[in-house]
Each structure stands twice: as structure tokens, then as C-alpha cells.
Amino acid sequence: RLPPGGLAVLRLAGCGLSAAAAAAITGAVRNYHWWSVTELDLSGNPGCLAGAAGAGGGGGADNVAALLLSGSAAGLKTLKLAGSGFALPPAAAAAGTGTGTHPAPALAPLEVLDMSHCPWDPAVCPAVLSALTRTLTKVSVRGCLDACPDPRRALAALFAALSGADVDVDVGGNPAAAAALAAQL
């Protein structure tokens, strides 16, 4: 058992992390045990965050949603979730835009968010990214948009959400979305 604090970077990419281990780790960051974490990398652990975030079960997906949307990770600057199965919950769209049951969300001060190869809900994800633009400098959605029913609309919604923001966007690995973008140029 690691002592509280003192841990700045936690990179667990591709280490075969189970859902239970991911829940314990994200819970420790969420509940201030590891309050000093500035970078959390859970990428390359297929399914470790799969499941319905927002169900309140305290699993890894719930913990990550809380890290993003509740302000419980004030020092978290980099969150890498590529291939983890994490999907933003539908309630996140209301929280991210300051409407619904969370009128004044305290969002994480993220600078880098990697959601590559994660489920992408075009009705939810752009709204949350838009709300994060006050601190966000880079977002990666590689391989996400083409899984949507209409990749062109998913890409358009993403760009609309980030318009006016100074954010680098990595949309590689989305050939249908890229073709739609090229057709508009």
C-alpha cells in the first residue's frame, strides 16, 4: 500500500490492468489518497474502464467520470484512457455545459486528454470537451469517430465544440471522418 500524496505520475499503460485494479487506482486518485497525481495513464488496458459510468457503483468508469467532472482531481493535468473502454456518461453532457443537475461544475484542470479508441457519443463528448477548453490544450480521439453512425457529423460536432479554443486535436485513425473533412476543404 502506497502512502498518501507524493505520487505525481502514474503510468500503467498496457500492463493488463483489470477492472477491479482500475477501480482501486482511480478511486485512490479520486478520493484524495493520491492527491498529488498530475498524470494518470491507463491506456492500452482493454476494458479496464468499460461499463456504465454514472451508475454510482464506484467502479473505475464512475471514478474517472468524477475525476473529470467533479473537480475532485485538482492537480490532474494529463489523463490518458486510450483503449480502456471508458465512455463519458450521458449526465456528463449536462454537467459539462453547466445545465441540468450540476449548474456549476468544477471541472478537472486537464491539459491533455486521450480518449482514443474509446466509445464516442456525439451527443455527449463534444459538450464535455467544450466545457474543458478553459485548460485543455490537446485532445486525442484516434479511432473514435468512425465508430459513430455518421462520422462526418461526429467530426463536425467536435470541431463546433472546440471552435474558438486553442486546442490541438488528433483525429487520426478515422478514415471516414478524414474523408468527410477533406471533401469540405
Side-chain angles (χ1 to χ4, degrees):
R1 183 171 166 105
L2 292 171
L7 190 62
V9 175
L10 189 53
R11 290 188 187 122
L12 299 167
C15 69
L17 204 61
S18 69
I25 290 164
T26 56
V29 175
R30 174 185 179 184
N31 296 314
Y32 300 106
H33 185 73
W34 291 337
W35 53 266
S36 57
V37 171
T38 59
E39 179 180 334
L40 179 59
D41 185 351
L42 301 177
S43 37
N45 292 294
C48 75
L49 296 175
D62 278 340
N63 291 334
V64 170
L67 287 172
L68 282 171
L69 303 169
S70 74
S72 65
L76 191 61
K77 304 289 185 209
T78 301
L79 184 58
K80 296 180 179 179
L81 306 171
S84 66
F86 179 72
L88 287 167
T97 57
T99 61
T101 58
H102 303 285
L107 299 170
L110 282 182
E111 295 172 3
V112 177
L113 177 61
D114 185 350
M115 288 187 57
S116 298
H117 306 287
C118 286
W120 183 265
D121 184 339
V124 173
C125 296
V128 175
L129 292 179
S130 177
L132 290 168
T133 58
R134 63 182 172 79
T135 57
L136 200 62
T137 59
K138 182 176 182 182
V139 64
S140 181
V141 293
R142 297 181 68 80
C144 296
L145 306 176
D146 277 6
C148 296
D150 187 345
R152 182 192 60 78
R153 289 182 112 181
L155 182 65
L158 173 64
F159 284 160
L162 299 177
S163 67
D166 188 14
V167 178
D168 291 337
V169 182
D170 181 353
V171 293
N174 292 292
L181 176 63
Q184 294 175 13
L185 299 177

